[in-house]
Amino acid sequence: MNAALFEGAEVQLGAMLAAREARMAAQHSLIKKHGLPVVSFTLNIPGPVKRFALADMLFDSGVDMINRALLSRGIAIADGITRRCETGCEYIAAIDGDAYRAKAALTALEESFPAARLFDMDVITNEFEHVSRADIGMQPRRCFLCSAPAAECARSRRHSLDELTDHVHTLLWQWYADAQAERIGRTAQRAMLYELAATPKPGLVDRRNNGAHTDMDFYTFIDSACITAPYFAQCAREGLNGPADGAALFARLKMHGLKAEGDMLAATGGVNTHKGEIFSLGLISAAWARLIRDGAPVSAGSICKTAAQIFACATPDACGLSGARLSAHGGFALALNTALPILRREAQNGMDTAACAALTALMAQNEDTNIVRRAGEAGLEYVKRLCTDADAADADTLMRMDDELIRRNISPGGSADLLAAALMQVYYIKQHYNELPQPAAKANGAHTRLKDDKYAWPDDSAFFDGEKPKQIHNGGKKKK
């Protein structure tokens, strides 16, 4: 649990009483102004610290839930104010609809997930009367520690402040951790789908053809990718709440990975579509989450560095490693140092252009074991030369390369896995900086360059923290 997320300033009783009076005045002011009922929302946070990072996050989420819940019942927000005071955040809104229907909707919200037990949602009619739970046929709220009536526990002071505070912090952390895990899981799945969709990818399954494969197609990969989001989210949960020891954490990730591989094979009829990405993106998901748990700076560089540290705890020596495992041991250096800068540079030209350019650069450098298995060391050297000399921005060139690799039965699957790892970093950056421009669509699917003078990426500090990881090699020896 990240203690920094619970830090805040203490407030005195006098300030709390003054805030309550000001809140009542604002409620009455909105009722008088519009002649409508009002909804008033705050959080029940015990103790002298009422505002801290997680409380504010839950409050903002609650405001969004209120608006959506009321809108779904045909109740419009006529006017509203949000106040962020040292005594806590407040949302007060005049609603154009029945107060009792609104109370039923908000009561359902208060019961919808554990941390919603902290929601304090009042509905006041246009005649200044509070709508109670009893008015809509609901039982009074229960204490979240002992399930006795909450009012009874409050009057008798049955539970200590430390008990209440610890429980509230646990509720908030569980809510936050679950939300972060789901977000990371969706980001990993999106990276997997974007890697699949990028076209034309030489030798690989894409929207153009099945590449050098006869046992899988575009839809086989979609079937496989659809089962992965829960797995990646579970890896993130391990990073957030799992063992502190890296080796023990990796053992948990391995267990989840083996299950995900089984689910993949079941979804594809026994075809290995995503084994490498299940390993790499699962490890990256856990690393991202571990940084969040520790309150450490999160960047593309720190995510990859942490992934390498976790893997190294279980496999300290790189000797004998190859493929995805060698990449993980080296902190996914090619994805970070080669693919990611190209994705940065080419994003404004469209995802096909950016992803295929990054893939080609990876193919020119990666010791791709998939190529070696299919075409030997000579085939690997051929692909490296081909990609070094190619104009990766030219779709016609890429399609000719695709045709040639298909003819030679070469599929650079290892490089595709590294592309997915880089794409996951792209969507970490997009979520935090919101600076990926959207390419203008063309009916014929041609690559389109945007003219966006305002487009600017953050500097390298958004990607790297300290020294960039270096690509490591397996003792300089050729893999057999």
Side-chain angles (χ1 to χ4, degrees):
M1 189 183 296
N2 182 357
L5 295 174
F6 299 96
E7 294 175 355
E10 294 188 3
V11 295
Q12 302 301 315
L13 177 60
M16 293 299 300
L17 294 175
R20 184 173 66 179
E21 293 297 322
R23 185 163 60 250
M24 290 175 60
Q27 294 164 356
H28 287 198
S29 176
L30 274 182
I31 292 172
K32 291 176 181 177
K33 179 180 178 181
H34 298 284
L36 295 171
V38 299
V39 167
S40 182
F41 169 49
T42 58
L43 295 178
N44 285 314
I45 304 293
V49 179
K50 301 299 183 182
R51 280 198 66 191
F52 44 87
L54 279 191
D56 282 5
M57 292 179 201
L58 182 64
F59 173 82
D60 290 338
S61 180
V63 170
D64 185 60
M65 291 178 192
I66 289 171
N67 293 339
R68 290 172 183 267
L70 295 177
L71 182 62
S72 70
R73 289 161 176 80
I75 301 173
I77 304 295
D79 192 5
I81 57 173
T82 299
R83 302 194 302 188
R84 300 181 184 274
C85 313
E86 64 175 4
T87 53
C89 297
E90 305 171 356
Y91 176 58
I92 306 169
I95 58 171
D96 190 5
D98 182 73
Y100 294 87
R101 290 186 66 212
K103 182 64 176 181
L106 300 189
T107 300
L109 269 185
E110 290 176 338
E111 306 293 337
S112 60
F113 60 99
R117 181 60 187 80
L118 306 179
F119 289 171
D120 187 2
M121 298 176 172
D122 294 327
V123 179
I124 307 165
T125 71
N126 57 356
E127 296 178 348
F128 306 98
E129 296 179 351
H130 281 255
V131 181
S132 69
R133 285 184 164 229
D135 291 332
I136 59 171
M138 295 289 293
Q139 294 292 318
R141 297 188 88 167
R142 295 279 171 176
C143 172
F144 48 52
L145 282 177
C146 69
S147 296
E152 179 183 314
C153 287
R155 282 194 303 269
S156 66
R157 298 177 180 260
R158 179 174 296 170
H159 309 292
S160 71
L161 181 58
D162 286 344
E163 286 180 297
L164 293 169
T165 301
D166 287 348
H167 187 72
V168 166
H169 286 188
T170 298
L171 285 176
L172 284 166
W173 174 256
Q174 289 174 345
W175 166 77
Y176 175 72
D178 191 61
Q180 292 298 311
E182 294 295 326
R183 179 169 67 100
I184 292 170
R186 290 191 299 270
T187 302
Q189 186 185 47
R190 176 181 288 185
M192 182 178 279
L193 289 168
Y194 270 52
E195 180 274 310
L196 166 64
T199 303
K201 297 196 301 291
L204 295 163
V205 173
D206 57 19
R207 305 193 313 272
R208 181 177 185 240
N209 56 41
N210 298 343
H213 298 275
T214 58
D215 58 345
M216 62 184 78
D217 60 19
F218 192 82
Y219 296 99
T220 314
F221 274 83
I222 290 177
D223 290 340
S224 175
C226 283
I227 60 95
T228 58
Y231 157 69
F232 293 131
Q234 187 59 47
C235 291
R237 287 187 182 93
E238 293 290 355
L240 287 159
N241 298 316
D245 176 71
L249 173 59
F250 185 77
R252 298 281 300 171
L253 298 178
K254 183 177 180 180
M255 177 187 70
H256 296 306
L258 290 172
K259 181 183 182 303
E261 288 181 16
D263 292 342
M264 171 196 71
L265 295 173
T268 62
V271 178
N272 173 16
T273 48
H274 284 122
K275 185 174 180 179
E277 290 178 24
I278 285 173
F279 170 79
S280 298
L281 301 190
L283 182 57
I284 290 171
S285 296
W288 182 349
R290 181 51 53 97
L291 289 166
I292 292 173
R293 190 201 71 170
D294 294 343
V298 180
S299 67
S302 65
I303 291 171
C304 291
K305 180 179 179 180
T306 303
Q309 290 170 342
I310 294 170
F311 183 64
C313 287
T315 312
D317 189 355
C319 184
L321 296 179
S322 63
R325 289 176 171 267
L326 186 64
S327 295
H329 204 283
F332 301 99
L334 276 179
L336 193 64
N337 300 337
T338 296
L340 187 55
I342 294 172
L343 290 170
R344 292 173 62 189
R345 185 183 69 233
E346 298 293 337
Q348 60 185 344
N349 298 328
M351 187 50 71
D352 280 339
T353 296
C356 291
L359 174 67
T360 306
L362 289 169
M363 291 166 61
Q365 300 179 55
N366 186 32
E367 301 292 324
D368 197 318
T369 55
N370 288 290
I371 295 176
V372 174
R373 279 194 293 269
R374 283 173 171 257
E377 295 289 350
L380 178 62
E381 293 306 314
Y382 166 77
V383 169
K384 286 183 174 182
R385 288 195 306 272
L386 183 67
C387 293
T388 299
D389 298 336
D391 179 3
D394 179 54
D396 291 336
T397 299
L398 291 174
M399 286 188 282
R400 287 194 296 271
M401 290 171 60
D402 187 26
D403 294 340
E404 181 60 22
L405 293 193
I406 291 171
R407 188 183 71 79
R408 293 172 178 255
N409 193 35
I410 293 176
S411 174
S415 297
D417 295 342
L418 287 172
L419 174 61
L423 285 166
M424 188 169 175
Q425 308 301 328
V426 164
Y427 282 96
Y428 156 74
I429 294 158
K430 181 180 179 182
Q431 289 171 18
H432 285 261
Y433 295 93
N434 196 28
E435 290 183 346
L436 280 180
Q438 297 300 313
K442 281 192 176 181
N444 62 5
H447 304 293
T448 305
R449 176 177 290 275
L450 287 185
K451 295 180 179 179
D452 185 356
D453 294 334
K454 296 181 180 179
Y455 171 66
W457 280 79
D459 61 29
D460 275 355
S461 64
F463 304 91
F464 310 108
D465 56 341
E467 185 179 359
K468 301 178 185 180
K470 298 179 174 62
Q471 176 70 1
I472 64 170
H473 301 282
N474 190 7
K477 299 177 181 178
K478 295 284 188 180
K479 295 182 290 295
K480 302 298 182 185

